[in-house]
Amino acid sequence: MNPQTLLDKILRDFGKEKRPEDVERMGKKAWRMIQQFHIEQLGQSNAVKAVKDKIIADMTNTALTWDTDDASLSSAQKIFNRLASGRYAEAVLLAESSIHHKDAITKSTLQKNAKKSNDKKHSKNNEQIEKAMKYYVKNIHLYQGYGGKKRASNDLESKFPPIKNTTYLQHIKKIK
């Protein structure tokens, strides 16, 4: 199996492992794949076993002693430290946790940015709606009886343009 196919399989199956021994096995496979990738990266795929063993030993030592101040690499550092020390299951669980945490942060940030952008885009309309709703609450007695909310939304559309009566009706229905 070529390295890319193996990597794709490991990544695809990453979250499927449930039993501790499966997670351990997956961590071992990931560490072996990283070792083989590094050997390939150095152009030593056809080297003798002693050369490959030396590359792996140097890489393992580097991973065990790696201490980064780069916040973006802190999770990767911890994962590699665990892999290099043979704590494969812990490395896999930390990687999963890191992925889920980063996904949650990304999702939250995107939602906040979208809301901020949306609020900015519609700030004039939101101000107009707020003024109209204050007017409606203050003058609710004018709209009592049959068709009151519909009548009120039509009135607000004419008094507080450019908002449509259907939008005002939605906001009126929220008021108790």
Side-chain angles (χ1 to χ4, degrees):
M1 182 178 290
N2 72 37
Q4 185 60 46
T5 306
L6 178 60
L7 175 62
D8 289 342
K9 181 179 180 350
I10 288 172
L11 294 176
R12 186 178 54 251
D13 295 342
F14 195 75
K16 293 182 181 177
E17 307 290 348
K18 296 298 178 204
R19 299 183 323 239
E21 59 273 12
D22 291 339
V23 176
E24 179 83 11
R25 185 176 39 78
M26 187 170 47
K28 285 180 185 177
K29 280 183 166 182
W31 185 237
R32 281 193 299 270
M33 182 193 65
I34 291 165
Q35 292 169 341
Q36 291 305 314
F37 178 77
H38 188 57
I39 290 169
E40 291 283 335
Q41 193 178 34
L42 294 174
Q44 298 295 321
S45 58
N46 294 326
V48 295
K49 184 177 178 342
V51 172
K52 289 180 181 179
D53 289 346
K54 173 78 169 116
I55 291 169
I56 290 171
D58 290 346
M59 184 183 84
T60 301
N61 187 48
T62 300
L64 286 170
T65 59
W66 182 27
D67 185 16
T68 183
D69 289 329
D70 184 344
S72 67
L73 295 174
S74 62
S75 291
Q77 174 212 319
K78 291 175 182 283
I79 292 165
F80 275 92
N81 290 158
R82 283 166 176 76
L83 286 171
S85 66
R87 295 167 32 217
Y88 304 116
E90 289 178 36
V92 170
L93 295 174
L94 178 59
E96 278 186 328
S97 174
S98 178
I99 290 167
H100 292 304
H101 179 71
K102 287 177 183 176
D103 283 348
I105 288 172
T106 299
K107 184 178 180 180
S108 173
T109 301
L110 289 173
Q111 287 173 340
K112 286 177 186 174
N113 289 343
K115 182 174 178 358
K116 218 186 258 185
S117 176
N118 194 39
D119 288 348
K120 184 177 179 182
K121 179 180 174 184
H122 298 291
S123 65
K124 288 182 182 178
N125 287 353
N126 290 340
E127 289 172 16
Q128 198 71 337
I129 291 169
E130 189 176 330
K131 287 179 193 174
M133 291 303 101
K134 285 181 182 178
Y135 173 85
Y136 172 75
V137 169
K138 184 176 178 182
N139 296 290
I140 199 166
H141 63 281
L142 299 174
Y143 306 107
Q144 301 292 323
Y146 180 76
K149 290 181 180 182
K150 181 70 174 166
R151 223 176 48 244
S153 66
N154 289 330
D155 190 32
L156 294 176
E157 179 182 27
S158 65
K159 291 181 189 290
F160 300 94
I163 312 302
K164 300 291 181 198
N165 66 346
T166 52
T167 301
Y168 283 131
L169 186 59
Q170 290 173 356
H171 287 278
I172 289 169
K173 286 180 178 180
K174 294 177 189 176
I175 296 174
K176 299 277 179 185

